[in-house]
């Protein structure tokens, strides 16, 4: 018998996956809507399996399908019109539970800036409309800052004893099976809903801020869509 999902849920979700290919986020110009998303929502670090692809989107979609969640993916390329992309997102949401907007930032500073502006435009539109959708952003893949709160591997003569006091967290497991992680790389993630999402202290979209103040901790990439599907009442809660 299928487990019944009992949760206060939202009806739609928008996830933007912005792939930076190791490039650092520009800090010489503001992205007001992305910073606003951080201020209103909850941030964390998305981590990947050690044997991962170079595509963040592929890792996010690794565990598909997600219960009864209907989801469609749309790609936004440099030079695409932002208004047309937003209209496409709205058309998809009319027939699907969730849409994933994939933005490839390329390898240059200018292309990364363009990608950030496009993501900023999309979220500004939903935030200004006070839309009742679950909003999520993933930005990466990039080396994690030294300030990252991800625990380093245990070593030394007391490693076993200490491990008993610091058991592996949920991001170490998939369907009850332990997975090896690449903790040298990660992504920023931000999630927000006007009534169903908690806030943390992060005020801007910077990796160091997210790693030191993020309230969502660490999320395995393939768990993210499961979280969203749960929020939309489309599958049972995973993990604890």
């Amino acid at each position: 018998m299928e487990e019944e999902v009992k949760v206060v849920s939202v009806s739609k979700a928008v996830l933007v996956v912005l792939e930076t290919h190791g490039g650092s986020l520009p800090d010489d110009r503001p992205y007001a809507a992305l910073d606003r998303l951080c201020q209103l929502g909850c941030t964390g670090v998305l981590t990947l399996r050690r044997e991962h692809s170079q595509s963040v989107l592929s890792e996010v979609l690794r565990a598909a399908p997600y219960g009864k969640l209907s989801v469609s993916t749309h790609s936004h390329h440099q030079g695409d019109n932002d208004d047309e992309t937003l209209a496409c997102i709205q058309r998809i949401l009319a027939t699907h539970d969730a849409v994933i907007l994939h933005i490839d930032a390329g390898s240059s500073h200018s292309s990364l800036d363009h990608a950030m502006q496009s993501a900023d435009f999309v979220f500004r539109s939903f935030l200004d409309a006070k839309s009742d959708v679950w909003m999520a952003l993933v930005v990466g893949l990039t080396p994690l800052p030294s300030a990252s709160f991800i625990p380093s591997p245990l070593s030394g003569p007391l490693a076993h004893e200490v491990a008993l006091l610091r058991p592996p967290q949920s991001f170490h497991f998939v369907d009850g099976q332990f997975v090896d992680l690449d903790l040298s790389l990660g992504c920023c993630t931000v999630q927000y809903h006007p009534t169903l999402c908690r806030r943390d202290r992060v005020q801007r979209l910077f990796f160091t801020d997210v790693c030191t103040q993020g309230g969502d901790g660490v999320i395995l990439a393939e768990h993210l869509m499961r979280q969203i599907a749960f929020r939309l009442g489309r599958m049972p809660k995973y993990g604890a």
Side-chain angles (χ1 to χ4, degrees):
M1 181 177 179
E2 186 174 350
E3 182 180 349
E4 182 181 358
V5 179
K6 295 180 179 180
V7 61
V8 178
S9 62
V10 295
S11 60
K12 302 291 181 178
V14 174
L15 167 63
V16 175
V17 177
L18 198 161
E19 305 220 28
T20 64
H21 302 284
S24 59
L25 301 183
D27 58 5
D28 55 351
R29 60 171 296 148
Y31 303 101
L34 300 185
D35 287 344
R36 184 177 165 200
L37 193 71
C38 291
Q39 294 159 13
L40 294 172
C42 199
T43 64
V45 173
L46 207 71
T47 189
L48 287 71
R49 295 176 183 242
R50 185 169 300 280
E51 298 298 328
H52 61 77
S53 72
Q54 292 303 307
S55 168
V56 176
L57 179 62
S58 296
E59 293 301 308
V60 168
L61 295 176
R62 180 190 281 263
Y66 313 98
K68 298 178 180 179
L69 184 75
S70 61
V71 57
S72 180
T73 301
H74 176 73
S75 294
H76 178 91
H77 305 283
Q78 187 170 0
D80 287 355
N81 182 279
D82 290 338
D83 287 302
E84 292 178 0
T85 294
L86 180 62
C88 182
I89 291 174
Q90 293 169 336
R91 286 195 299 271
I92 292 173
L93 288 178
T95 56
H96 292 73
D97 299 320
V99 57
I100 300 174
L101 176 64
H102 180 233
I103 305 177
D104 193 319
S107 57
S108 68
H109 180 85
S110 60
S111 61
L112 178 54
D113 176 65
H114 174 84
M116 296 287 289
Q117 289 186 58
S118 295
D120 192 83
F121 175 83
V122 169
F123 284 114
R124 181 171 68 251
S125 300
F126 280 97
L127 289 170
D128 288 350
K130 300 185 182 337
S131 183
D132 185 34
V133 302
W134 189 268
M135 305 177 208
L137 169 67
V138 172
V139 182
L141 191 64
T142 192
L144 289 175
S146 57
S148 172
F149 52 71
I150 298 178
S152 58
L154 298 171
S155 61
L158 298 178
H160 176 70
E161 288 76 7
V162 174
L164 296 177
L165 301 175
R166 195 183 77 187
Q169 301 300 301
S170 59
F171 61 88
H172 282 283
F173 293 91
V174 174
D175 297 327
Q177 300 297 314
F178 185 85
V179 295
D180 192 22
L181 304 178
D182 182 355
L183 299 180
S184 66
L185 298 170
C187 304
C188 277
T189 180
V190 189
Q191 300 191 71
Y192 169 68
H193 183 270
T195 59
L196 298 177
C197 184
R198 59 180 176 167
R199 290 188 183 184
D200 56 27
R201 296 181 298 159
V202 174
Q203 298 295 302
R204 56 183 187 169
L205 187 62
F206 281 97
F207 273 95
T208 301
D209 293 25
V210 170
C211 287
T212 56
Q213 303 177 54
D216 261 347
V218 185
I219 304 170
L220 184 62
E222 57 206 88
H223 285 168
L224 180 62
M225 286 303 298
R226 293 185 178 189
Q227 286 190 3
I228 293 174
F230 170 72
R231 288 297 182 185
L232 270 63
R234 295 305 190 184
M235 70 180 300
K237 183 75 168 71
Y238 77 94

